[in-house]
Amino acid sequence: MRTEAEPIVALRAIEKSFGPVSVLKGVDFDLRPGEVHALMGENGAGKSTLIRIMSGAHQPNAGTVEIDGRARRLDGPRDAQDRGIAVVHQELLLFPALTVAENIFTGHAPRTPRGTLDWGAMRRDARAILDRLDCPDLDVDETVSKLSVANRQRVEIARALSRNARVLVMDEPTAALAEADVRRLLDVVRSLRAEGVGIVYVSHRMNEIFEIADRVTVLRDGGTIATRPVGEVTEAALVSMMVGRDIDELFPKEDIPIGETVLEVRGLAHAGKVRDVSFAVRAGEILGIAGLVGSGRTELAQTIFGVTPATEGEILIDGRPVTVGSVREAIDRRIAYVPEDRAQHGLVRPQTIRENVSMAILDRLTRRSVVDTSRETALAEDAIRRFAIRARGPGQVVAQLSGGNQQKVVIAKWLATDPRILILDEPTRGVDVGAKTEIHKLMNQLARQGLAIIMISSELPEVLGMSDRILVMNGGRMTAILDRSEATPDTVGTAMMTGHAA
Amino acid sequence: STWTGGDDQPASPLACDATVTAVPPGDYNGGEPTDAPDRNGKPLRVVDIPKLVGVGYFNSTASGIQEAAKELGSMTVTTDGPTRANIDEQITFIDNYITSGVDGILFAANDPVAIAPVLKRALEAGINVVGYDADAEPDARQWFVNQAEPNGVAKSMIDQLASEIGEEGSFAIVTSTFTTPNQARWITEMAAYAEKCHPKLKFLETVEAQEDNILSFNQAQTLINKYGDELKGILGMTSVATPAASEAVQQNNLCGKVAVVGLALPNAMKPYVNNDCVKSTILWSTVDLGYAAGMAMRAVADGTLKPGDTTFKAGRLGDLQIVNQSQILLGAPKVFTKVDINDFDF
Amino acid sequence: MRGPTLSRRLSASGQEILLLAALVALFLVVGWINPRFVSQNNLTSIFVGNAYIAVAAIGMSMVIISGHIDVSVGALIGVLATVSGLLVTGGYPVWLSWLLPVLLGGVVNAGLGVLIAYLKVPSIIATLAMLSILRGGLITVTGGAWISGLPPSFQLAQFRLFDVPSPVWFMIVMTVGFAFVLRSTAFGRAIYAVGGNPEAAEASGIPYKATIVKVFALHGLIAGVSATLFATQLQVIQSTVPNGLELIVITAAVVGGVSILGGVGTVVGSTLAAILFAAIGSSLIFLNVSAYWLRAVQGILILATVLADMARRGRTG
Amino acid sequence: MTLRSLLRHEAILALILALALAVLAIDNERFFTAANLLNQGRLMTEVGLIAVAMTFVIVTGGIDLSVGSILGLCAILIGVFWKTLGLPLPAAIGLSMAVGTLAGFVNGLIITRFRVPPLIATLATLALYRGLAEGISQAQSIRGYPKWFFVLGQGDFLGIPTQLWLLAAVAFAGFFVLRYTAFGRATYAIGNNEQGAAFSGIDVARTKLWIYSASGFVSSLAAVVFVSRVSTTRSDMGSGIELDVITAVVLGGTSIFGGRGLVVGTLLGLCLVQVLKNGLALSGVRGDGTIVIIGAVLIAAVLISNFLGRYSGD
Ligand SMILES: Nc1ncnc2c1ncn2[C@@H]1O[C@H](COP(=O)(O)OP(=O)(O)OP(=O)(O)O)[C@@H](O)[C@H]1O
Ligand SMILES: Nc1ncnc2c1ncn2[C@@H]1O[C@H](COP(=O)(O)OP(=O)(O)OP(=O)(O)O)[C@@H](O)[C@H]1O
Ligand SMILES: [Mg+2]
Ligand SMILES: [Mg+2]
């Protein structure tokens, strides 16, 4: 135990507001060398804002930032970096057109004696850091735009490490990672801790917190609720601290009568990324899809949804073969897809809730191609009520909502299309426990109404908890379909790895 | 490619020798302002709208107009216009000045037809309208001061060229754009005149160079590179192209081997003429052109220049001939040589 | 390690290779039809007469890589050339007449950079306004009079070194120099960073606003050099804004592979593109393409280059 | 909220316009007359027509630099079809407008099929279409159109210049489509997040094709009005008009990055520029001074709305 050590960073009575909105209201937080201090809280509780203050990106309206016991003013990210604070931001801040090596070293690249950039050293050092992160497969000369989300995440972490930071702040680093990658990341965190680095760790995933954190601080509505050693809290206690009420069950799967087969695919393939996938989903059923990052789950979903139309195979709805050549066609066939990348594919964030919710069904809300705004507003108001979206009203811009509430807008948008088949791709990624339970309840409710649901998730407990059956994918192929009764972390995990050699 | 002059008018080449047949002007075909107030002897507020402002050529016509205004004492002239030779913008300028209520409009048209409706509106508003340098349709203005007849320009240019490169030499042309009416007209007339009087001259090609110094230089340079020894002469059709072509010839050390003949302001050509790289430059006095236009404006307003006149007394320029029904002819284009080029400053 | 790196390097500089190939093909084909096209004289003409465009395109490339655009560069070159001419005819020493426009360009465009970075005026609007102001202002101030009577020592662009005209030296040295700056200095990489992702740049400790101001200032300095070449090539200076020069410079930059979205591109590409366009213009005269169709052919060739680039990218990524 | 922040710029612009009108009216009694203002309307019609479509183009995050060249090409074609091919004038006009629309459609194809950024695509067709106009016309002007044709460009209808009716109709159509229809929604959605729009079942390529075709169409319409106004065709017609159009659109508050903008704003921007040109000329400011002032106003308008945008609380 190093509890006696002096904090490297301490935030005292921090307040921060954006215009009239007060986001942080007197937050205290400190970090000691060689500890992992978890920061938890609902979406919009103010975690990222606190981190931006720690990283010098924001200035607090009141309160002090102490580094090594002395009050400091952090004038921008550079200042914070110079004091040994490195941040892995929640929204990955990378340069898509530059190489991995350059991304890692942007802003502090090694120089030759003549003062020019030392490309050789840069590539060597980048390689060394990636090896330390256990990523031998990541090429330092690859441009970042070609990397998968998980690999981009690794680049971002490598960048923070490259600064030899004393303080490493990680804002939801595992949100985009699958179990195996989470393991690898946690190993890195442990070894850094052993080197005496202080780590701030933000995550919505309970199991990670209990596995890695030494202490945990819970924020709610911009205030500190408590800071406790992890050993002194239970999961239930944490949750109730976060949401301010008790949540009885994390994955409340209900037993729902299963109906007729709604969707069936046979031998579906798309351009080498999806190969020969066959399965069926019935009304009222939740089919979970598990797999490693890049196993082709998203591609499969997008093939069914007409984004990347199938190059081979058949899609049958109610037993009748149909073509799905475009998103429009998919919507007409009452298929809905809640994409994994909310900001890119799910929403038009500068526009209002009203405009987003109606976007997929505008043709139904028009009379002679004129949009009926009163019906549209009614639809949005209904969505806000039904999904308990925390917003000022249908006219609020979606970008101003917290992550969880944005996710609810996406779901509302797709349910407005009145689908019979609903595909949810990572529906609770980056969503807090409270909102997560609400989304899970919603899924149950929809299943009860007779929807056939396909849920892709990288969180194994979620897949295991919510699914009636689990389809496991690897390398674009399905390696198993397991019934709820036979699905365990072991069986699913094994299926995720099998065929890996092939 | 054959030249059509940008309009449907036939070419009318002059006689090969120096005989100038005086043609009676014919019946007046210009327009008349409607209900113009009696301006005889009264102060005149006149606006001068050239094709574009900010080029040497129209700066010197403007100074000629100012000279006339100063001499007359009863006329104030503002020069204003578009910064690009653009038919549309010129029209807008004229329109605004009609609204602002001037007594007279002097213009050099970017397009004879396009400018006609707005000039007619000026006449309808009782404004006196006189053109110079580039004409509009006759009934859209009262008089036009013609710096030189196109066939006269063509004759001067081709005769000069033939005298420098011989009757069998090859030449190429650098012009502004194919759509500029004056240049297009002159090239048509040159082709016709050359065919009639210097049939063995060999025309190679015409290149476009906007009104752009460096582009003109580059184009001339390319012509030199392309034709090598075959190229004996370059004709510059604009006051931009001619000095730029001269510069190209000089930088390639081809003085005396490639002749440059063309229209240009004396000032721009002095370096080349003075060091014998170029023998001559052809132009009317642009200052006189503006001066005559200014004088004509006053005379029209006073009623002293009227349909049926066969000459016009233009101050220090003396009597100018009236030709083509409603045009005042400045005279034949002048050929400036080393002998006299240094006596002019414009 | 070496193999893939080399091939990736090649594919990363694909646009340069494409342009170089196009250039070589053009010289071979047209030279075969008319050998005079590839005579030393003509090659020199192509380079010399268009070096100022290639030089200006270097600055433009950096501006576009930083995620912005400048439609006022032609106007700026016109103004600076005039300033240079007025200085030398006003009796100032020749070196000052070369240097001052360069500095002035830097100052003017630094102001533009402040407007864009600190006052958040979108660059296309700020520079559109600047175009208007410079174009009109120049005429208001000078009345558009030509500047002649320039001393021979002023004609920087007519000097030769090792029998190669100075504009060619400027073009080559500045292209190589700025290629080096962009690739191998922290400032160069900062330009890519702010163009590729401004937020991420800030988070990496690269000050976005200061970088943008520096890029514009540098672009202004380079425009000053371009203006000096422009002003000293002939014995008269047209004190007006050359029409459409900004579009030519922008075209050179984007056809040279600079992404209009920012964050991607090199100055070698833009220089090659500037030369390619000059060579195309010249070759059409050599091929006796009717001058009436010249611009149409140019348009088709720009389109072809761009589409070839798209096809290439479609293949590699 | 968006509507409010959108209207803010337009409101400021309207205020500036009103101010300019008042100042210029006091300064010169010839300015604020029906005859002068209507005449200004006549002069700004071509830019206005194209600006309406350009608003759509820029809202999608694109740009169309080729509009001036399409105008030139269509103007030439009216003459060529009518005089050289001997078609009846209405047929020549119709055919030329079809070609203009096709030219816009080709822009759209290059942009959507081959994924060429709009700026580059239309920079290339800017040269191509102008080149076609020059090549086809062989530098010939065509003139001598029948009298009835000039009604459009030089005549009046109910005391108002004929082409202003046309501009009003096109502007209203543009306003209506952008503001009230599903197509307008799609336009904004594409400008804000193209992929998001595609995942919502919006046919991005088709929407863009329509918009670029419309841009070609109104450019050809502007060509007809222009030819009728100036009674002649030349291949250099409309060169440089793209900058005037873009000035009107961005001055009107349409974001050059896409996703934001109103037709009303564009019309305000258009009027402001025209009023300044005219009013300043009447007050004795010369043309070169006027464009300096317009440049300054463009920056000032953005600065003011930036300033108010920042401090009015979001
Ligand atoms: N720049 C800003 N302007 C206005 N409000 C902001 C700004 N940044 C954040 N907020 C608001 O501050 C609150 C806290 O946001 P923050 O991103 O810190 O939440 P978080 O705890 O990180 O949530 P999540 O778990 O979803 O990442 C939210 O309500 C958010 O809308
Ligand atoms: N931006 C990208 N560029 C290139 N390849 C990518 C990109 N994103 C994903 N891939 C690759 O496409 C394939 C399928 O990815 P897909 O996103 O469908 O997988 P997934 O199982 O849904 O994984 P994830 O959990 O990352 O969404 C994988 O090989 C992946 O590496
Ligand atoms: Mg957060
Ligand atoms: Mg996925």
Side-chain angles (χ1 to χ4, degrees):
Chain A
M1 280 267 103
R2 300 166 201 258
T3 38
E4 328 63 58
E6 272 292 309
I8 326 175
V9 179
L11 305 173
R12 310 237 184 264
I14 297 289
E15 299 196 10
K16 177 69 187 172
S17 50
F18 296 102
V21 188
S22 173
V23 173
L24 297 178
K25 305 158 189 161
V27 174
D28 292 309
F29 183 85
D30 66 68
L31 179 71
R32 299 171 192 142
E35 76 161 347
V36 175
H37 191 157
L39 191 56
M40 298 199 74
E42 283 183 285
N43 292 124
K47 303 180 294 293
S48 296
T49 306
L50 191 67
I51 285 167
R52 283 195 205 101
I53 287 171
M54 234 183 284
S55 72
H58 283 338
Q59 303 299 326
N61 297 106
T64 51
V65 178
E66 290 173 13
I67 294 172
D68 297 325
R70 301 245 305 274
R72 298 276 183 193
R73 196 187 137 77
L74 294 174
D75 289 320
R78 164 135 266 168
D79 200 12
Q81 284 157 14
D82 290 345
R83 298 186 189 286
I85 301 170
V87 182
V88 176
H89 287 277
Q90 182 173 12
E91 61 288 355
L92 299 181
L93 293 179
L94 294 169
F95 308 100
L98 304 186
T99 65
V100 169
E102 269 188 272
N103 265 281
I104 293 174
F105 283 105
T106 293
H108 61 283
R111 309 285 181 91
T112 61
R114 282 176 304 146
T116 60
L117 301 188
D118 188 340
W119 280 84
M122 195 191 295
R123 295 177 57 242
R124 248 188 337 271
D125 295 354
R127 181 74 268 152
I129 295 169
L130 289 175
D131 286 345
R132 184 168 149 206
L133 280 176
D134 197 13
C135 305
D137 50 324
L138 204 54
D139 183 348
V140 294
D141 293 323
E142 186 67 276
T143 47
V144 162
S145 62
K146 294 186 182 145
L147 299 182
S148 64
V149 183
N151 278 335
R152 289 179 198 208
Q153 179 76 57
R154 292 186 181 116
V155 174
E156 180 87 24
I157 294 168
R159 180 157 72 169
L161 292 184
S162 71
R163 296 179 184 275
N164 293 320
R166 292 187 298 151
V167 176
L168 180 62
V169 184
M170 305 172 106
D171 195 355
E172 300 196 35
T174 54
L177 300 190
E179 288 293 328
D181 296 310
V182 172
R183 300 272 123 242
R184 274 157 79 177
L185 180 73
L186 294 185
D187 287 341
V188 172
V189 172
R190 280 191 200 96
S191 75
L192 288 172
R193 171 169 61 187
E195 290 166 25
V197 176
I199 292 152
V200 180
Y201 192 92
V202 181
S203 177
H204 290 294
R205 297 187 184 176
M206 287 293 173
N207 53 348
E208 288 168 19
I209 303 298
F210 284 99
E211 188 169 334
I212 194 87
D214 300 306
R215 289 192 299 161
V216 54
T217 291
V218 176
L219 294 186
R220 190 167 76 220
D221 293 336
T224 313
I225 298 301
T227 301
R228 299 272 170 74
V230 165
E232 294 173 16
V233 288
T234 62
E235 191 167 323
L238 261 184
V239 170
S240 73
M241 274 197 271
M242 276 159 63
V243 298
R245 66 196 141 89
D246 291 332
I247 289 184
D248 15 283
E249 203 184 354
L250 261 179
F251 300 103
K253 174 70 188 143
E254 297 172 19
D255 281 325
I256 290 159
I258 308 279
E260 293 294 306
T261 296
V262 180
L263 171 78
E264 186 178 355
V265 303
R266 290 185 195 149
L268 204 66
H270 173 79
K273 292 191 169 174
V274 178
R275 306 163 202 220
D276 192 22
V277 174
S278 307
F279 66 86
V281 207
R282 285 173 288 173
E285 186 183 33
I286 299 178
L287 174 72
I289 301 185
L292 297 176
V293 172
S295 55
R297 298 163 299 171
T298 297
E299 279 292 336
L300 171 63
Q302 295 189 354
T303 300
I304 297 171
F305 191 56
V307 179
T308 51
T311 46
E312 271 173 59
E314 269 191 305
I315 299 178
L316 299 93
I317 292 178
D318 295 331
R320 272 189 302 278
V322 295
T323 56
V324 184
S326 69
V327 173
R328 193 72 254 159
E329 234 176 314
I331 295 172
D332 292 342
R333 306 219 184 283
R334 299 179 66 187
I335 305 174
Y337 171 63
V338 175
E340 65 178 329
D341 189 340
R342 206 157 49 220
Q344 279 284 330
H345 300 147
L347 295 165
V348 178
R349 293 172 68 218
Q351 294 190 340
T352 59
I353 298 176
R354 175 169 61 83
E355 287 165 308
N356 271 286
V357 169
S358 67
M359 192 165 289
I361 53 158
L362 269 183
D363 52 336
R364 293 179 216 166
L365 292 178
T366 52
R367 250 182 328 203
R368 285 194 223 94
S369 83
V370 176
V371 179
D372 184 342
T373 28
S374 55
R375 270 175 68 196
E376 197 188 16
T377 308
L379 180 77
E381 277 167 349
D382 183 52
I384 292 174
R385 236 189 341 270
R386 182 165 162 211
F387 304 114
I389 298 170
R390 258 162 274 166
R392 283 201 298 276
Q396 187 166 11
V397 170
V398 167
Q400 295 170 345
L401 303 179
S402 76
N405 283 306
Q406 289 187 15
Q407 183 70 338
K408 289 183 195 168
V409 174
V410 186
I411 295 176
K413 161 178 152 181
W414 285 109
L415 289 180
T417 64
D418 188 24
R420 294 182 58 214
I421 302 152
L422 177 65
I423 311 173
L424 299 158
D425 197 349
E426 310 283 4
T428 61
R429 173 176 289 178
V431 168
D432 67 57
V433 259
K436 197 176 201 169
T437 336
E438 284 177 52
I439 290 172
H440 289 153
K441 279 187 184 145
L442 189 65
M443 285 169 63
N444 284 327
Q445 188 189 329
L446 293 170
R448 201 174 312 118
Q449 286 165 14
L451 267 76
I453 298 177
I454 299 173
M455 180 193 69
I456 298 168
S457 172
S458 295
E459 216 181 322
L460 207 46
E462 184 178 40
V463 185
L464 292 171
M466 290 300 298
S467 314
D468 292 299
R469 283 183 304 147
I470 297 170
L471 187 159
V472 187
M473 289 188 70
N474 190 324
R477 296 176 196 280
M478 47 187 286
T479 49
I481 285 204
L482 303 168
D483 214 65
R484 184 176 178 78
S485 54
E486 50 190 7
T488 63
D490 270 350
T491 53
V492 174
T494 315
M496 276 161 69
M497 299 299 184
T498 52
H500 210 63
Chain B
S1 45
T2 53
W3 278 87
T4 50
D7 48 37
D8 317 321
Q9 312 299 318
S12 58
L14 292 177
C16 300
D17 54 18
T19 51
V20 180
T21 43
V23 192
D27 289 339
Y28 178 78
N29 67 347
E32 279 295 339
T34 319
D35 301 328
D38 179 17
R39 298 193 169 108
N40 192 354
K42 305 219 175 86
L44 284 187
R45 204 162 78 79
V46 175
V47 60
D48 161 36
I49 302 173
K51 287 183 181 181
L52 76 168
V53 297
V55 294
Y57 187 91
F58 287 112
N59 280 354
S60 54
T61 56
S63 73
I65 296 171
Q66 291 301 341
E67 185 193 336
K70 205 158 149 208
E71 190 178 316
L72 293 163
S74 55
M75 189 167 90
T76 55
V77 187
T78 339
T79 296
D80 193 5
T83 54
R84 292 179 299 185
N86 183 317
I87 53 174
D88 187 27
E89 287 186 45
Q90 186 175 35
I91 292 168
T92 307
F93 274 91
I94 296 173
D95 225 317
N96 282 339
Y97 280 103
I98 295 174
T99 309
S100 77
V102 292
D103 299 306
I105 292 175
L106 288 166
F107 71 89
N110 278 312
D111 185 280
V113 177
I115 204 174
V118 71
L119 290 181
K120 282 183 189 156
R121 208 157 49 247
L123 288 173
E124 279 161 23
I127 296 170
N128 291 116
V129 180
V130 173
Y132 66 94
D133 183 68
D135 202 1
E137 291 188 322
D139 62 339
R141 45 79 182 153
Q142 292 176 274
W143 296 90
F144 170 66
V145 183
N146 195 343
Q147 63 273 41
E149 300 235 45
N151 51 11
V153 173
K155 180 176 165 63
S156 296
M157 298 266 281
I158 295 294
D159 283 346
Q160 182 69 32
L161 181 75
S163 78
E164 291 190 29
I165 67 173
E167 288 294 337
E168 300 190 0
S170 307
F171 69 97
I173 300 176
V174 182
T175 188
S176 50
T177 69
F178 300 135
T179 46
T180 321
N182 274 359
Q183 272 79 17
R185 186 78 239 148
W186 293 332
I187 295 175
T188 313
E189 294 287 354
M190 288 193 316
Y193 180 78
E195 192 171 334
K196 179 174 164 190
C197 301
H198 304 280
K200 292 197 175 143
L201 278 180
K202 191 170 165 222
F203 164 67
L204 297 169
E205 70 178 293
T206 307
V207 295
E208 261 191 335
Q210 318 292 334
E211 294 270 345
D212 182 329
N213 227 336
I214 297 219
L215 185 58
S216 302
F217 173 78
N218 287 347
Q219 296 291 59
Q221 185 82 263
T222 307
L223 289 172
I224 290 170
N225 294 336
K226 177 177 175 187
Y227 292 106
D229 293 342
E230 192 187 355
L231 184 72
K232 298 290 185 223
I234 297 176
L235 282 174
M237 299 310 299
T238 69
S239 54
V240 176
T242 312
S246 309
E247 180 76 34
V249 167
Q250 180 168 319
Q251 286 192 17
N252 282 282
N253 300 321
L254 289 171
C255 296
K257 297 204 184 81
V258 175
V260 178
V261 172
L263 303 164
L265 295 169
N267 278 353
M269 292 301 286
K270 278 175 194 166
Y272 312 106
V273 173
N274 283 333
N275 72 4
D276 288 321
C277 191
V278 174
K279 288 218 175 67
S280 67
T281 174
I282 300 171
L283 204 67
W284 41 89
S285 164
T286 46
V287 179
D288 290 353
L289 176 61
Y291 177 82
M295 285 297 178
M297 174 55 76
R298 182 74 253 183
V300 176
D302 289 349
T304 53
L305 171 60
K306 52 193 184 306
D309 290 354
T310 53
T311 58
F312 165 61
K313 188 159 174 30
R316 64 171 168 82
L317 297 175
D319 278 343
L320 299 180
Q321 209 193 333
I322 287 175
V323 298
N324 294 339
Q325 305 178 294
S326 55
Q327 299 186 351
I328 300 163
L329 185 62
L330 193 63
K334 177 167 174 44
V335 179
F336 299 84
T337 62
K338 198 175 178 183
V339 177
D340 60 358
I341 195 166
N342 295 307
D343 302 338
F344 297 89
D345 182 24
F346 64 92
Chain C
M1 193 84 208
R2 248 201 135 60
T5 310
L6 187 66
S7 78
R8 183 164 295 130
R9 281 251 172 91
L10 285 182
S11 88
S13 47
Q15 185 71 356
E16 286 89 333
I17 291 167
L18 188 78
L19 288 168
L20 204 58
L23 207 51
V24 170
L26 185 78
F27 282 128
L28 285 180
V29 171
V30 182
W32 182 64
I33 295 170
N34 188 339
R36 285 210 178 114
F37 180 68
V38 286
S39 68
Q40 196 209 329
N41 262 349
N42 197 48
L43 294 181
T44 314
S45 305
I46 290 173
F47 292 146
V48 172
N50 297 281
Y52 75 98
I53 293 174
V55 168
I58 294 173
M60 181 64 75
S61 298
M62 295 200 285
V63 166
I64 300 180
I65 291 170
S66 80
H68 292 277
I69 194 148
D70 178 9
V71 298
S72 70
V73 67
L76 183 66
I77 290 173
V79 167
L80 296 178
T82 303
V83 169
S84 179
L86 289 177
L87 285 172
V88 76
T89 52
Y92 288 90
V94 163
W95 63 268
L96 198 66
S97 320
W98 289 338
L99 187 65
L100 220 57
V102 176
L103 298 180
L104 186 64
V107 171
V108 168
N109 271 14
L112 205 50
V114 169
L115 207 57
I116 290 163
Y118 288 89
L119 298 176
K120 299 195 164 66
V121 180
S123 55
I124 187 153
I125 300 180
T127 59
L128 202 56
M130 196 68 169
L131 169 70
S132 217
I133 292 171
L134 291 175
R135 189 195 286 275
L138 183 61
I139 290 173
T140 307
V141 173
T142 67
W146 283 18
I147 302 166
S148 54
L150 306 168
S153 61
F154 175 69
Q155 308 293 4
L156 179 65
Q158 296 183 20
F159 296 166
R160 281 166 178 261
L161 182 65
F162 306 124
D163 207 35
V164 174
S166 65
V168 181
W169 285 115
F170 272 97
M171 178 172 81
I172 293 172
V173 170
M174 288 178 73
T175 303
V176 172
F178 281 102
F180 177 79
V181 168
L182 280 179
R183 178 164 169 76
S184 296
T185 67
F187 172 64
R189 298 324 290 177
I191 299 177
Y192 286 96
V194 296
N197 188 346
E199 255 186 280
E202 282 278 0
S204 314
I206 294 168
Y208 171 77
K209 291 174 183 173
T211 307
I212 293 299
V213 174
K214 278 189 221 162
V215 167
F216 268 87
L218 193 58
H219 168 54
L221 294 174
I222 296 171
V225 175
S226 169
T228 307
L229 293 177
F230 181 77
T232 59
Q233 201 164 8
L234 307 179
Q235 296 187 39
V236 282
I237 298 170
Q238 263 178 315
S239 60
T240 43
V241 168
N243 268 328
L245 182 55
E246 59 282 344
L247 283 191
I248 298 174
V249 174
I250 293 172
T251 308
V254 294
V255 172
V258 176
S259 162
I260 206 74
L261 307 174
V264 180
T266 69
V267 296
V268 177
S270 70
T271 298
L272 286 172
I275 295 173
L276 181 64
F277 284 128
I280 289 170
S282 174
S283 71
L284 292 181
I285 293 182
F286 276 86
L287 291 175
N288 294 322
V289 174
S290 158
Y292 291 119
W293 292 100
L294 186 139
R295 222 188 305 251
V297 174
Q298 280 176 337
I300 287 173
L301 287 172
I302 299 176
L303 209 52
T305 321
V306 170
L307 289 180
D309 179 37
M310 290 296 147
R312 179 181 64 80
R313 275 186 222 179
R315 211 159 3 94
T316 56
Chain D
M1 183 66 198
T2 27
L3 192 65
R4 206 143 51 88
S5 64
L6 272 178
L7 278 177
R8 213 181 290 134
H9 182 91
E10 277 75 26
I12 292 163
L13 208 60
L15 217 65
I16 297 176
L17 181 61
L19 205 71
L21 281 172
V23 170
L24 293 167
I26 293 166
D27 191 61
N28 191 316
E29 80 277 7
R30 289 170 191 272
F31 171 72
F32 206 75
T33 62
N36 181 47
L37 294 181
L38 287 178
N39 193 37
Q40 293 311 309
R42 193 191 288 284
L43 294 176
M44 73 185 191
T45 299
E46 293 95 16
V47 174
L49 285 172
I50 303 176
V52 171
M54 188 69 86
T55 308
F56 282 73
V57 171
I58 297 184
V59 166
T60 64
I63 195 133
D64 186 351
L65 297 178
S66 71
V67 288
S69 297
I70 296 180
L71 193 161
L73 178 62
C74 291
I76 282 300
L77 287 179
I78 293 172
V80 168
F81 288 144
W82 174 66
K83 193 112 176 211
T84 318
L85 298 188
L87 295 178
L89 189 52
I93 291 173
L95 214 54
S96 146
M97 288 179 61
V99 174
T101 313
L102 180 69
F105 181 77
V106 169
N107 282 339
L109 266 189
I110 299 171
I111 290 162
T112 55
R113 275 286 167 325
F114 302 102
R115 307 198 172 278
V116 179
L119 185 97
I120 304 178
T122 57
L123 204 55
T125 53
L126 164 91
L128 176 59
Y129 296 153
R130 179 70 63 196
L132 288 178
E134 287 175 351
I136 292 170
S137 74
Q138 300 278 302
Q140 284 267 47
S141 313
I142 290 173
R143 41 191 77 159
Y145 295 95
K147 270 269 175 306
W148 64 262
F149 178 50
F150 298 134
V151 169
L152 181 58
Q154 299 173 34
D156 293 329
F157 180 69
L158 301 179
I160 289 174
T162 324
Q163 63 261 60
L164 265 186
W165 292 103
L166 193 64
L167 175 59
V170 169
F172 180 76
F175 164 77
F176 185 81
V177 170
L178 193 56
R179 181 86 174 74
Y180 292 109
T181 67
F183 187 86
R185 279 305 171 71
T187 309
Y188 284 115
I190 291 169
N192 278 313
N193 181 353
E194 192 168 321
Q195 290 192 332
F199 271 79
S200 306
I202 291 171
D203 194 332
V204 175
R206 225 179 58 148
T207 308
K208 285 189 178 176
L209 276 175
W210 271 105
I211 289 174
Y212 283 94
S213 303
S215 177
F217 174 78
V218 292
S219 301
S220 67
L221 201 57
V224 177
V225 173
F226 199 3
V227 172
S228 169
R229 176 157 75 85
V230 303
S231 341
T232 183
T233 58
R234 283 169 52 136
S235 61
D236 61 351
M237 278 177 148
S239 62
I241 202 174
E242 60 277 355
L243 289 187
D244 295 340
V245 171
I246 294 168
T247 302
V249 175
V250 296
L251 184 59
T254 299
S255 163
I256 201 75
F257 307 114
R260 261 190 41 178
L262 299 176
V263 173
V264 177
T266 298
L267 293 179
L268 285 170
L270 180 73
C271 291
L272 183 57
V273 171
Q274 194 66 31
V275 158
L276 283 177
K277 274 188 189 162
N278 173 238
L280 292 171
L282 294 186
S283 309
V285 179
R286 295 191 338 162
D288 41 76
T290 303
I291 64 173
V292 172
I293 293 173
I294 288 174
V297 166
L298 188 54
I299 293 181
V302 176
L303 283 182
I304 292 173
S305 89
N306 272 2
F307 182 81
L308 292 183
R310 182 116 36 99
Y311 294 101
S312 60
D314 53 335

